[in-house]
Amino acid sequence: MSWFYSLGVVMQALIAGLFTWFMTLLGAGSVFIFKNPSRKLLDMMLGFAAGVMIAASFWSLLAPSIDMAERMGMIPWVPAVVGFLLGAVVLRIMDLVLPHLHPGEPIEHAEGIHTTWKKTVLLVAAITLHNIPEGLAVGVAFGAIGAGIPSAGVAGAIALAIGIGIQNFPEGLAVSAPLRREGMSVGASFFWGQMSAMVEPVFAVIGAALVMVMQPVLPYALAFAAGAMIFVVIEDVIPESQLSGNSDISTHGAIVGFAVMMLLDVALG
């Protein structure tokens, strides 16, 4: 891993973003093995993903935001609250504007501005929208290192990337499996499933570059990513995991996911 530590933070963010995309690719590739995976399995994996995202939002984003704000002489809670709310608001605006369709919903329930996009594109757009804050979170974590923040470290940023990568695996399957059930070929289902996470390395680089040149906004940027991720969890991931009546198993998955991300962040960060 010494080669990784020797790289610039933007390149580190790019590699971390590519890793999170690769985990989505692996998850989408499961469609080659499971033509029609168990709904209980999917719901448990979605619950796990929700738990990881909730834990990452606090341990890897909000807590460092408060710590950094205090070190920079700010009122500690201001950047955390303002950034968190702003992240949720921006995601809500994007949710209202970008045409998309949540998995399991009929095309009549498509959200965003009216469009003639096919159901496949709308499904992929929904997951793509929700992958943006994950890429941004990874980028901001690495950007904090380049900005010279004492409490920011490569190990903590790697822990965040690993956690998001782990929860991207079930997300990849959650995209490709419904497309397969819709009658799409295995290859096309895999392609669109992995494409949904291509925004993550892009926004990882953007996040890292921005905070390096605008250090005072870093506590706000961390909280912004947290607010955006929590919005995704409440708006999409948890409701989808409960859609088929498997609330108990999805809840268990969320508890395990939270514990795994907490362990990664505390042990590595």
Side-chain angles (χ1 to χ4, degrees), residues 8-144:
V9 292
V10 173
M11 184 58 68
Q12 289 175 339
L14 174 61
I15 293 173
L18 288 172
F19 166 74
T20 61
W21 162 75
F22 178 72
M23 291 299 290
T24 306
L25 181 145
L26 289 181
S30 301
V31 76
F32 288 102
I33 303 172
F34 306 107
K35 180 179 179 181
N36 190 20
S38 163
R39 186 65 235 186
K40 283 188 176 182
L41 175 64
L42 282 176
D43 290 342
M44 179 186 69
M45 294 172 78
L46 284 169
F48 179 89
V52 168
M53 293 173 74
I54 293 171
S57 295
F58 175 73
W59 294 101
S60 300
L61 298 170
L62 282 175
S65 170
I66 295 169
D67 181 56
M68 288 178 190
E70 189 171 16
R71 289 172 180 268
M72 295 166 72
M74 303 178 184
I75 300 174
W77 58 265
V78 171
V81 173
V82 172
F84 185 86
L85 292 176
L86 186 59
V89 168
V90 169
L91 257 289
R92 177 55 180 161
I93 292 172
M94 294 176 68
D95 198 55
L96 289 171
V97 174
L98 180 69
H100 64 282
L101 178 67
H102 297 295
E105 296 285 348
I107 195 168
E108 293 79 16
H109 291 176
E111 300 179 16
I113 61 175
H114 179 71
T115 181
T116 57
W117 290 359
K118 294 182 179 179
K119 187 174 184 179
T120 302
V121 180
L122 291 169
L123 285 168
V124 174
I127 306 300
T128 301
L129 169 65
H130 295 159
N131 278 329
I132 290 175
E134 295 173 11
L136 187 63
V138 171
V140 169
F142 280 97

